[in-house]
Amino acid sequence: MGKGEILAEIKKELEENKSLPLFGANLVFGEGDPSAEIMFIGEAPGFYEDRDQRPFVGRAGKLLDRLIGEIGMKRGDVYITNIVKRRPPENRDPFPEELKSYKPYLAREIEAVNPKIVATLGRFSMNYFYPEGKISRDQGRVFWWNDKILVPLYHPAAALRSTSVLGELEKSFQKLKAVAAKFDELVKERKEKPVAEPVAPAEKSEQKPLF
Ligand code: URA
């Protein structure tokens, strides 16, 4: 099965699994290049995402599109998804049981796309990879997560509310671009000089940032 077919299968299972929380809302599955090198992961769809059944199409999504453009890429070059695939009422934060129920689908989506770099948007998706992470401390840092690089980023919705957060997010996108450009070099360095720090047991992220 190709990547596109695997993703279509995951989507179909999400459509059919009536036991999932928030089942009454529209399904908002990931979209983009199934072979993308960079995967962006947000928390849950909002009003416009639910309406259009596409991730990141509201104001935060427009900002995300601009930031992707500023690193010389197009939205269609990356893959964009959320942990929770249906909108929580009134855009409230997802409940722990909602995160837990949708996580296995995200895990399969990541496995299918198999990106080199995972860029998380906001604390909920950062905590999926790095449960002890603190967004203000760790955003813009670069970590290994298994064979992938993890770059936690502020959520673009937070950047819409604060110019200083926007400035940090713009800087972190430049870092993301630099990391993507030297990914193969970083893998080589890692093989030659294996990191001595223990791998965090929970989700296997290495807690010491690379930069
Ligand atoms: N916020 C998210 O976390 N995801 C979306 O798809 C839109 C807004």
Side-chain angles (χ1 to χ4, degrees), residues 14-193:
L14 277 159
E15 271 159 359
E16 290 172 355
N17 185 353
K18 294 195 176 68
S19 71
L20 284 169
L22 307 168
F23 190 77
N26 285 326
L27 178 68
V28 180
F29 193 63
E31 68 173 29
D33 181 354
S35 300
E37 293 191 352
I38 306 181
M39 182 167 184
F40 289 93
I41 307 176
E43 63 188 53
F47 174 84
Y48 293 100
E49 289 76 23
D50 173 77
R51 186 193 67 184
D52 296 355
Q53 294 191 255
R54 294 181 59 206
F56 283 98
V57 290
R59 283 185 68 222
K62 298 280 172 280
L63 174 57
L64 179 61
D65 290 352
R66 170 164 84 72
L67 294 165
I68 292 170
E70 284 174 8
I71 59 166
M73 301 183 88
K74 294 189 302 292
R75 187 178 164 109
D77 297 332
V78 302
Y79 188 89
I80 303 176
T81 195
N82 286 298
I83 303 192
V84 173
K85 310 282 197 240
R86 290 186 174 89
R87 182 189 179 208
E90 311 301 325
N91 297 350
R92 62 156 167 75
D93 285 347
F95 291 151
E97 62 270 25
E98 291 164 353
L99 292 160
K100 188 162 173 249
S101 305
Y102 283 92
K103 269 179 180 182
Y105 295 94
L106 176 65
R108 288 168 60 199
E109 219 178 354
I110 297 167
E111 199 186 335
V113 176
N114 194 22
K116 291 180 173 172
I117 300 172
V118 170
T120 55
L121 301 167
R123 70 190 162 96
F124 287 98
S125 58
M126 174 187 68
N127 288 151
Y128 170 89
F129 297 94
Y130 182 12
E132 312 80 17
K134 297 264 174 297
I135 193 77
S136 54
R137 181 191 64 197
D138 295 315
Q139 73 78 30
R141 286 180 165 178
V142 178
F143 301 87
W144 282 110
W145 187 77
N146 300 332
D147 61 340
K148 307 188 190 317
I149 276 181
L150 168 68
V151 186
L153 299 172
Y154 278 128
H155 196 290
L160 290 171
R161 294 189 293 264
S162 153
T163 46
S164 69
V165 170
L166 176 62
E168 290 299 315
L169 186 58
E170 285 170 334
K171 264 199 266 168
S172 301
F173 261 77
Q174 292 307 318
K175 200 156 183 188
L176 183 63
K177 182 183 179 181
V179 166
K182 60 187 274 196
F183 181 83
D184 292 342
E185 205 182 307
L186 292 168
V187 170
K188 190 160 163 268
E189 272 172 26
R190 187 190 194 199
K191 282 203 190 110
E192 285 165 6
K193 284 190 284 159

